[in-house]
Amino acid sequence: MTDTARARKLADRIQVVVAETLQRRIKDPRLGYVTITDARVTGDLREATVFYTVYGDEAERESSAAALESAKGILRSEVGKQTGVRFTPTLTFVADALPDNARNIDDLLDKARLSDAAVRTAAAGAAYAGDADPYKAARDDDEDE
């Protein structure tokens, strides 16, 4: 049986340890402005996935990914020292897609705002189609006689 609370606590601790170690110990020139956004640990506490973002263009993202892969051993040993678990989880670094998704959502929202504005301007000068009273009036029985 897995303890999800323990896995969450370990994931939070791994996130902090990796971020601090990247800031203080790793001096790789390929490493750009990296932000550790999240960490997730499997239920058996054997594997940890660390999500990160890099500020910059595609070349900086690729070089930072290579720097993280080369520093994986140092980061794992530091996680083992600071967490005190029996088995230090293996680290996997994954580029977080959250900024790209947020940018796409912002673009879609801008398109929706422009579309709403176009509908609003078209509706301002519009007139009703058909008669002023499009509903048929009820017939009176007196008129038929």
PDB file of all heavy atoms in Angstrom, residues 16 18 28 35 53-54 63 71 89 96 99 109-111 119 128 140:
ATOM      1  N   VAL A  16      12.569  21.497  -3.758  1.00  0.00           N
ATOM      2  CA  VAL A  16      13.355  22.520  -3.073  1.00  0.00           C
ATOM      3  C   VAL A  16      14.851  22.206  -3.155  1.00  0.00           C
ATOM      4  O   VAL A  16      15.673  23.086  -3.448  1.00  0.00           O
ATOM      5  CB  VAL A  16      12.894  22.645  -1.600  1.00  0.00           C
ATOM      6  CG1 VAL A  16      13.848  23.511  -0.800  1.00  0.00           C
ATOM      7  CG2 VAL A  16      11.483  23.181  -1.536  1.00  0.00           C
ATOM      8  N   VAL A  18      16.510  20.360  -5.379  1.00  0.00           N
ATOM      9  CA  VAL A  18      17.024  20.509  -6.745  1.00  0.00           C
ATOM     10  C   VAL A  18      17.169  21.983  -7.095  1.00  0.00           C
ATOM     11  O   VAL A  18      18.187  22.400  -7.678  1.00  0.00           O
ATOM     12  CB  VAL A  18      16.115  19.769  -7.750  1.00  0.00           C
ATOM     13  CG1 VAL A  18      16.463  20.137  -9.175  1.00  0.00           C
ATOM     14  CG2 VAL A  18      16.252  18.269  -7.556  1.00  0.00           C
ATOM     15  N   ASP A  28      27.445  25.084 -14.479  1.00  0.00           N
ATOM     16  CA  ASP A  28      27.520  24.768 -15.902  1.00  0.00           C
ATOM     17  C   ASP A  28      27.126  26.006 -16.710  1.00  0.00           C
ATOM     18  O   ASP A  28      26.054  26.570 -16.495  1.00  0.00           O
ATOM     19  CB  ASP A  28      26.572  23.609 -16.221  1.00  0.00           C
ATOM     20  CG  ASP A  28      26.843  22.984 -17.568  1.00  0.00           C
ATOM     21  OD1 ASP A  28      27.456  23.644 -18.419  1.00  0.00           O
ATOM     22  OD2 ASP A  28      26.447  21.820 -17.766  1.00  0.00           O
ATOM     23  N   THR A  35      13.775  27.388 -13.870  1.00  0.00           N
ATOM     24  CA  THR A  35      12.861  27.411 -12.734  1.00  0.00           C
ATOM     25  C   THR A  35      12.275  26.015 -12.568  1.00  0.00           C
ATOM     26  O   THR A  35      11.735  25.453 -13.521  1.00  0.00           O
ATOM     27  CB  THR A  35      11.725  28.415 -12.970  1.00  0.00           C
ATOM     28  OG1 THR A  35      12.283  29.702 -13.206  1.00  0.00           O
ATOM     29  CG2 THR A  35      10.794  28.472 -11.773  1.00  0.00           C
ATOM     30  N   THR A  53      11.080  24.930 -16.257  1.00  0.00           N
ATOM     31  CA  THR A  53      10.938  25.848 -17.380  1.00  0.00           C
ATOM     32  C   THR A  53      12.236  26.617 -17.531  1.00  0.00           C
ATOM     33  O   THR A  53      12.985  26.799 -16.565  1.00  0.00           O
ATOM     34  CB  THR A  53       9.793  26.857 -17.166  1.00  0.00           C
ATOM     35  OG1 THR A  53      10.048  27.608 -15.992  1.00  0.00           O
ATOM     36  CG2 THR A  53       8.451  26.164 -17.056  1.00  0.00           C
ATOM     37  N   VAL A  54      12.489  27.070 -18.743  1.00  0.00           N
ATOM     38  CA  VAL A  54      13.693  27.843 -19.037  1.00  0.00           C
ATOM     39  C   VAL A  54      13.259  29.139 -19.695  1.00  0.00           C
ATOM     40  O   VAL A  54      12.488  29.133 -20.657  1.00  0.00           O
ATOM     41  CB  VAL A  54      14.657  27.072 -19.961  1.00  0.00           C
ATOM     42  CG1 VAL A  54      15.883  27.909 -20.274  1.00  0.00           C
ATOM     43  CG2 VAL A  54      15.059  25.762 -19.339  1.00  0.00           C
ATOM     44  N   SER A  63      20.154  23.699 -24.495  1.00  0.00           N
ATOM     45  CA  SER A  63      21.411  23.664 -23.746  1.00  0.00           C
ATOM     46  C   SER A  63      21.160  23.457 -22.254  1.00  0.00           C
ATOM     47  O   SER A  63      21.915  22.761 -21.577  1.00  0.00           O
ATOM     48  CB  SER A  63      22.221  24.946 -23.987  1.00  0.00           C
ATOM     49  OG  SER A  63      21.537  26.070 -23.476  1.00  0.00           O
ATOM     50  N   ALA A  71      24.135  17.030 -15.011  1.00  0.00           N
ATOM     51  CA  ALA A  71      24.221  17.268 -13.568  1.00  0.00           C
ATOM     52  C   ALA A  71      23.309  16.347 -12.774  1.00  0.00           C
ATOM     53  O   ALA A  71      23.175  16.504 -11.559  1.00  0.00           O
ATOM     54  CB  ALA A  71      23.868  18.726 -13.274  1.00  0.00           C
ATOM     55  N   PRO A  89      15.512   8.371  -5.022  1.00  0.00           N
ATOM     56  CA  PRO A  89      14.808   8.191  -6.292  1.00  0.00           C
ATOM     57  C   PRO A  89      15.647   8.650  -7.482  1.00  0.00           C
ATOM     58  O   PRO A  89      16.452   9.573  -7.369  1.00  0.00           O
ATOM     59  CB  PRO A  89      13.564   9.060  -6.152  1.00  0.00           C
ATOM     60  CG  PRO A  89      13.635   9.744  -4.856  1.00  0.00           C
ATOM     61  CD  PRO A  89      14.863   9.325  -4.154  1.00  0.00           C
ATOM     62  N   ASP A  96       8.531  21.638 -18.724  1.00  0.00           N
ATOM     63  CA  ASP A  96       7.128  21.898 -18.411  1.00  0.00           C
ATOM     64  C   ASP A  96       6.472  22.634 -19.580  1.00  0.00           C
ATOM     65  O   ASP A  96       6.995  23.629 -20.072  1.00  0.00           O
ATOM     66  CB  ASP A  96       7.032  22.735 -17.141  1.00  0.00           C
ATOM     67  CG  ASP A  96       5.671  22.662 -16.491  1.00  0.00           C
ATOM     68  OD1 ASP A  96       4.768  22.047 -17.083  1.00  0.00           O
ATOM     69  OD2 ASP A  96       5.525  23.211 -15.389  1.00  0.00           O
ATOM     70  N   PRO A  99       3.972  27.056 -19.724  1.00  0.00           N
ATOM     71  CA  PRO A  99       4.046  28.382 -20.349  1.00  0.00           C
ATOM     72  C   PRO A  99       3.534  28.387 -21.791  1.00  0.00           C
ATOM     73  O   PRO A  99       2.869  29.335 -22.204  1.00  0.00           O
ATOM     74  CB  PRO A  99       5.535  28.730 -20.300  1.00  0.00           C
ATOM     75  CG  PRO A  99       6.084  27.915 -19.208  1.00  0.00           C
ATOM     76  CD  PRO A  99       5.284  26.651 -19.198  1.00  0.00           C
ATOM     77  N   LEU A 109      -8.019  33.482 -26.207  1.00  0.00           N
ATOM     78  CA  LEU A 109      -8.863  34.471 -25.542  1.00  0.00           C
ATOM     79  C   LEU A 109      -8.860  35.796 -26.291  1.00  0.00           C
ATOM     80  O   LEU A 109      -9.897  36.471 -26.385  1.00  0.00           O
ATOM     81  CB  LEU A 109      -8.421  34.671 -24.089  1.00  0.00           C
ATOM     82  CG  LEU A 109      -8.745  33.528 -23.141  1.00  0.00           C
ATOM     83  CD1 LEU A 109      -8.118  33.783 -21.773  1.00  0.00           C
ATOM     84  CD2 LEU A 109     -10.236  33.350 -22.998  1.00  0.00           C
ATOM     85  N   ASP A 110      -7.703  36.197 -26.838  1.00  0.00           N
ATOM     86  CA  ASP A 110      -7.645  37.415 -27.642  1.00  0.00           C
ATOM     87  C   ASP A 110      -8.506  37.293 -28.892  1.00  0.00           C
ATOM     88  O   ASP A 110      -9.215  38.237 -29.264  1.00  0.00           O
ATOM     89  CB  ASP A 110      -6.200  37.736 -28.029  1.00  0.00           C
ATOM     90  CG  ASP A 110      -5.377  38.213 -26.847  1.00  0.00           C
ATOM     91  OD1 ASP A 110      -5.980  38.684 -25.852  1.00  0.00           O
ATOM     92  OD2 ASP A 110      -4.133  38.122 -26.916  1.00  0.00           O
ATOM     93  N   LYS A 111      -8.459  36.137 -29.547  1.00  0.00           N
ATOM     94  CA  LYS A 111      -9.309  35.915 -30.722  1.00  0.00           C
ATOM     95  C   LYS A 111     -10.785  35.977 -30.347  1.00  0.00           C
ATOM     96  O   LYS A 111     -11.596  36.546 -31.078  1.00  0.00           O
ATOM     97  CB  LYS A 111      -8.996  34.562 -31.362  1.00  0.00           C
ATOM     98  CG  LYS A 111      -7.685  34.513 -32.089  1.00  0.00           C
ATOM     99  CD  LYS A 111      -7.454  33.130 -32.671  1.00  0.00           C
ATOM    100  CE  LYS A 111      -6.084  33.026 -33.299  1.00  0.00           C
ATOM    101  NZ  LYS A 111      -5.818  31.674 -33.817  1.00  0.00           N
ATOM    102  N   VAL A 119     -19.036  41.048 -33.226  1.00  0.00           N
ATOM    103  CA  VAL A 119     -20.462  40.745 -33.088  1.00  0.00           C
ATOM    104  C   VAL A 119     -21.185  41.912 -32.427  1.00  0.00           C
ATOM    105  O   VAL A 119     -22.300  42.275 -32.820  1.00  0.00           O
ATOM    106  CB  VAL A 119     -20.657  39.431 -32.294  1.00  0.00           C
ATOM    107  CG1 VAL A 119     -22.091  39.238 -31.877  1.00  0.00           C
ATOM    108  CG2 VAL A 119     -20.170  38.261 -33.091  1.00  0.00           C
ATOM    109  N   TYR A 128     -34.531  44.623 -36.736  1.00  0.00           N
ATOM    110  CA  TYR A 128     -35.256  43.372 -36.695  1.00  0.00           C
ATOM    111  C   TYR A 128     -35.696  42.985 -38.108  1.00  0.00           C
ATOM    112  O   TYR A 128     -36.089  43.827 -38.915  1.00  0.00           O
ATOM    113  CB  TYR A 128     -36.486  43.478 -35.797  1.00  0.00           C
ATOM    114  CG  TYR A 128     -36.124  43.592 -34.332  1.00  0.00           C
ATOM    115  CD1 TYR A 128     -36.272  44.788 -33.650  1.00  0.00           C
ATOM    116  CD2 TYR A 128     -35.635  42.496 -33.645  1.00  0.00           C
ATOM    117  CE1 TYR A 128     -35.920  44.889 -32.314  1.00  0.00           C
ATOM    118  CE2 TYR A 128     -35.285  42.587 -32.323  1.00  0.00           C
ATOM    119  CZ  TYR A 128     -35.437  43.786 -31.663  1.00  0.00           C
ATOM    120  OH  TYR A 128     -35.088  43.873 -30.352  1.00  0.00           O
ATOM    121  N   ASP A 140     -60.773  36.517 -32.549  1.00  0.00           N
ATOM    122  CA  ASP A 140     -61.963  36.660 -31.691  1.00  0.00           C
ATOM    123  C   ASP A 140     -63.105  35.908 -32.335  1.00  0.00           C
ATOM    124  O   ASP A 140     -63.283  35.931 -33.544  1.00  0.00           O
ATOM    125  CB  ASP A 140     -62.336  38.135 -31.532  1.00  0.00           C
ATOM    126  CG  ASP A 140     -61.326  38.867 -30.683  1.00  0.00           C
ATOM    127  OD1 ASP A 140     -60.669  38.206 -29.854  1.00  0.00           O
ATOM    128  OD2 ASP A 140     -61.173  40.097 -30.857  1.00  0.00           O
TER     129      ASP A 140
END
